[in-house]
Amino acid sequence: MNIDGKLTAKKLRSELAVEVAELKSSCGIQPKLTVILVGEDPASQVYVKNKIKQTQEIGMISDVIKLPINTEQDELLGYLARLNNDANIHGILVQLPLPKHIDESVIISAISPDKDVDGFHAMNSGRLFNGDSGALIPCTPQGCIILAKQHLGNDLSGLHAVVIGRSNIVGKPVSMLLLQENCTVTIAHSRTKDLASICRQADILVAAVGIAKFVKVDWVKAGATVIDVGINRISTDDGGTKLVGDVDYDSVVDKCAAITPVPGGVGPMTIACLLKNTLAAAKRSVH
Ligand code: GUN
């Protein structure tokens, strides 16, 4: 069966909308997200447009600062300093990737950890690593856990989770979250030996490698829960293109117990969790 990310994200957004209204009426605070977009990458423009639209749909304020591709790193740092000091802004997001002449890690470190709604700042990854409740947690990993729980219920204790991929944005943080849920966690990656047999042990299999249809049916244990984080555009026989995940969905769907489809699985949850983080940052700003 499919785990419906679109529906789960919709439900989460409507719950958040209620909380946004409550925060406004009780404290006079309306959460605000500011996004910085450098350059004109078409995919980034679509992502940013969706982030802005969805924040506003649930009653938050949001705006975009659009900067030209040749913006200097120092100029970007100047914008971040102003946003960090603006008490009316609760969430700051710098859309990635940045142009080559800008050092992403310098930029991420310059965002106030309290406003880092992507959860990419070392302070937030450190808090996640330590299991501190105050962490702002990266959005896609949060979405993965919510979707796994849609099928398995809230208690993931003792399950063997295999994560394929070790990126700072997905692989590492989702592994930490699964560990917090008392899973036994294996982190596999491109150098892992006998990946197929490790994946076959998984009760929860998270694929975050960025290779279309990488995970084959014989890598999946019957009855497993499969969370597919990949978004890969491939050519179709009729000369068009389509989006597919990191899992060979058509064969795996009949063997596993539940799988997140692509599109319509993890993708919609990412922005919903960004809204969740923005609300959390706004709430914390009150205290
Ligand atoms: N580019 C692609 N995904 C993301 C994301 O989750 N956050 C940011 N800041 N940039 C991205």
Side-chain angles (χ1 to χ4, degrees), residues 47 51 93-96 118 120 270:
Y47 286 136
K51 288 170 185 176
L93 184 148
V94 179
Q95 186 66 24
L96 304 176
D118 263 327
F120 294 164
T270 297

